Amino acid sequence: MSSEDFLKEIQAIGEKFLLKLQKLPKADPVEIVSFSVVLLFIVTVLVLTVIACSCCCYSCCGCDGRPDPRHKKSRVRPAA
């Protein structure tokens, strides 16, 4: 997929989302609840992804961007 196709797809999704938001005040309560649940799910996934990435980067590199020498990989040798 080229970058132009990707941008067009993102724009189409954004337009559908704005249209849905404009129709939301006139919608049925069931539709409002289902839209809220989907929106909450998307936000939760994004927040958990950011938390996971920040924890991973923090444990590997620390705050200064250099690898932490305490977290070196060590080989475990089998007992004789």
Side-chain angles (χ1 to χ4, degrees), residues 8 18 37 44 54 57 59 68 70:
K8 287 179 183 178
L18 288 176
V37 167
T44 303
S54 65
C57 290
S59 67
D68 191 358
R70 294 177 293 174

Side-chain angles (χ1 to χ4, degrees), residues 1-14:
M1 178 182 270
S2 69
S3 61
E4 291 178 11
D5 293 339
F6 180 72
L7 290 176
K8 287 179 183 178
E9 188 70 27
I10 295 295
Q11 184 179 7
I13 291 171

Side-chain angles (χ1 to χ4, degrees), residues 22-42:
Q22 289 172 351
K23 292 182 178 180
L24 203 57
K26 301 173 193 170
D28 295 333
V30 175
E31 194 174 353
I32 294 172
V33 169
S34 63
F35 183 76
S36 300
V37 167
V38 169
L39 195 62
L40 181 65
F41 175 76
I42 292 170

Side-chain angles (χ1 to χ4, degrees), residues 10 16 31 36 43 46 49-51 56-57 59 61 63 74 79:
I10 295 295
K16 287 179 187 177
E31 194 174 353
S36 300
V43 168
L46 290 175
T49 303
V50 168
I51 290 171
C56 179
C57 290
S59 67
C61 300
C63 293
S74 60

